[in-house]
Amino acid sequence: VTRRLMSPEDREDMFGFDSCKVGLLCDGAVASWAWVEGMGVRIGSDTVRMGGLRFVGTADEYRGRGYSRRVMAEALAYMDEQQFAIAGTSGAIGGFYERFGYAVTIPEYALRVAADALSEARIRHEAVDFEGDDTHVDAMRRIYNQNNHARTGSLVRPEPGWPWRSKYGYFAETCSLWDAKSRVLLDPDGTVCGYTTFHQGADDVPGLSREDSRRPGMSELGYATPDLFETFVALLHEDARERGEDTIENWWMPVDHPFALYLRRYGCDIQTRYQTTGGSMHRIVNVRRLFSQGAPTLSARMRSSQLRAWRGSIAFTTDIGDVTLTAADGRVSIEDRAIGDADHRLDIPQNRL
């Protein structure tokens, strides 16, 4: 089993840091492989270091020999060495990632609205096609991070970063799976105040059925102020009319997203689906690392809850290590062991935690 750090050419197709290809060689050929991308993911307003798995596979002639298990073990070892707290993937292979400690963590959302219902909306800001302008990219990245600064599960788009932006001409990570186009909204002085991306559909999108993945729709939007929402609605209507579509779809917007709430006035269907396998899946790489990187959010949540005056400790014993959380004066601290006299103890495997 070998490792190779990403080259500058490779990184045009990646958006993280500390990225690596892991491969198992058999008779000089790569028989099984996985790509690991280093990235930041939010838990509350804290950033947790995550290793993202992409392009996991084994050549047909080498399957059934346990090669993927060796590759996945090596990928996990690399993530631990790089100080990642968790690992994540979009599990397109049902029943596969569970064997390596991964569990479904994020539900899937589907938002649908009839195109005709949006016909009264008007474009009130200048909208231009996004063509990779660095000034636009930097503004859009800032808007994205502002919109998602406390949304658990959202990825952090670093500065500098986004090495794939010049290659593809769009920016949403999910859009690498689709033929996509983006529009940028400008204030009267030419300042970027928002953006949106439309995808045109594809045959195979992890976590979606073939029928669903072929449906065009909107994959992401960002805004400096909610005053832009009517313009977004008008652009959605315009895009649907150009494509001859009766229904507009979005597969990535959580049901509590401000724009999803705004669309209710036009009449829409919002679905939340909880899967037992596939979709967004994660596992813990290092328990102490995870709790330490998320401790500020845990402390803030405690201070705003009915437990703000509670003092005590909770010890977690897992299959990959132990950790104790101690609460005092509205602050949560972490210890890298299970304290024998903790007020509460819980034995739990990492994939349940």
Side-chain angles (χ1 to χ4, degrees):
V1 180
T2 65
R3 299 180 186 176
R4 183 169 70 83
L5 296 179
M6 297 293 97
S7 67
E9 291 75 19
D10 292 324
R11 289 178 181 274
E12 287 187 6
D13 195 39
M14 315 291 276
F15 62 91
F17 46 86
D18 301 328
S19 299
C20 177
K21 287 181 179 178
V22 178
L24 185 144
L25 301 179
C26 186
D27 299 325
V30 180
S32 187
W33 57 85
W35 287 24
V36 179
E37 295 179 77
M39 60 189 73
V41 64
R42 294 180 179 87
I43 295 181
S45 57
D46 295 327
T47 297
V48 172
R49 284 176 57 83
M50 181 177 79
L53 284 175
R54 290 182 71 187
F55 309 125
V56 177
T58 300
D60 291 343
E61 62 269 30
Y62 295 108
R63 292 183 177 178
R65 303 184 187 182
Y67 290 170
S68 64
R69 180 172 296 278
R70 292 174 60 185
V71 168
M72 293 290 283
E74 185 69 16
L76 182 63
Y78 171 78
M79 294 184 213
D80 195 25
E81 292 170 14
Q82 295 298 315
Q83 302 297 301
F84 296 136
I86 60 175
T89 187
S90 293
I93 311 171
F96 175 77
Y97 291 99
E98 290 89 338
R99 287 182 277 164
F100 307 102
Y102 289 78
V104 178
T105 51
I106 300 176
E108 294 182 351
Y109 307 106
L111 186 152
R112 300 181 184 88
V113 59
D116 288 346
L118 310 182
S119 60
E120 298 299 319
R122 296 291 177 264
I123 295 178
R124 304 189 184 279
H125 295 76
E126 182 183 1
V128 300
D129 290 340
F130 172 65
E131 298 180 348
D133 182 283
D134 283 348
T135 302
H136 289 176
V137 169
D138 291 340
M140 291 148 59
R141 176 188 50 75
R142 287 194 297 270
I143 289 172
Y144 167 86
N145 285 328
Q146 290 167 1
N147 290 171
N148 295 281
H149 74 279
R151 183 170 290 280
T152 295
S154 63
L155 297 178
V156 177
R157 293 177 177 166
E159 180 185 6
W162 272 348
W164 32 261
R165 68 194 187 202
S166 60
K167 180 176 180 180
Y168 294 114
Y170 51 76
F171 44 90
E173 290 87 350
T174 55
C175 287
S176 61
L177 304 167
W178 284 302
D179 177 18
K181 68 174 183 179
S182 300
R183 306 287 294 278
V184 178
L185 303 189
L186 305 176
D187 279 335
D189 63 358
T191 301
V192 175
C193 57
Y195 64 86
T196 186
T197 294
F198 302 100
H199 59 258
Q200 309 304 311
D203 285 338
D204 297 298
V205 178
L208 297 183
S209 68
R210 188 178 182 86
E211 178 185 0
D212 288 341
S213 65
R214 285 182 169 181
R215 295 172 178 167
M218 182 182 67
S219 57
E220 183 178 317
L221 62 81
Y223 57 94
T225 169
D227 292 342
L228 300 174
F229 286 174
E230 184 182 3
T231 295
F232 286 137
V233 171
L235 291 174
L236 283 172
H237 180 258
E238 179 184 279
D239 180 71
R241 186 179 58 191
E242 290 176 356
R243 292 186 281 101
E245 297 288 337
D246 297 327
T247 304
I248 299 163
E249 314 228 2
N250 176 284
W251 291 104
W252 311 106
M253 187 177 296
V255 295
D256 63 344
H257 189 284
F259 188 65
L261 300 178
Y262 180 83
L263 281 176
R264 292 180 182 181
R265 68 191 65 192
Y266 295 95
C268 61
D269 173 54
I270 302 176
Q271 176 185 1
T272 303
R273 180 170 58 186
Y274 298 89
Q275 299 194 141
T276 57
T277 186
S280 294
M281 304 184 71
H282 296 79
R283 63 154 293 152
I284 300 173
V285 175
N286 183 284
V287 179
R288 183 185 186 283
R289 226 173 274 150
L290 173 60
F291 279 107
S292 295
Q293 293 175 17
T297 288
L298 292 176
S299 297
R301 290 177 179 175
M302 184 174 181
R303 287 192 295 270
S304 63
S305 75
Q306 295 181 353
L307 294 174
R308 54 185 171 272
W310 184 73
R311 300 173 66 92
S313 57
I314 305 173
F316 294 94
T317 300
T318 80
D319 50 324
I320 61 171
D322 305 332
V323 67
T324 295
L325 280 62
T326 301
D329 302 320
R331 180 177 177 273
V332 177
S333 58
I334 313 298
E335 293 196 41
D336 190 16
R337 59 192 176 93
I339 299 178
D341 59 353
D343 298 296
H344 304 278
R345 294 181 59 88
L346 180 62
D347 293 332
I348 184 171
Q350 66 82 23
N351 63 336
R352 296 294 301 276
L353 180 59

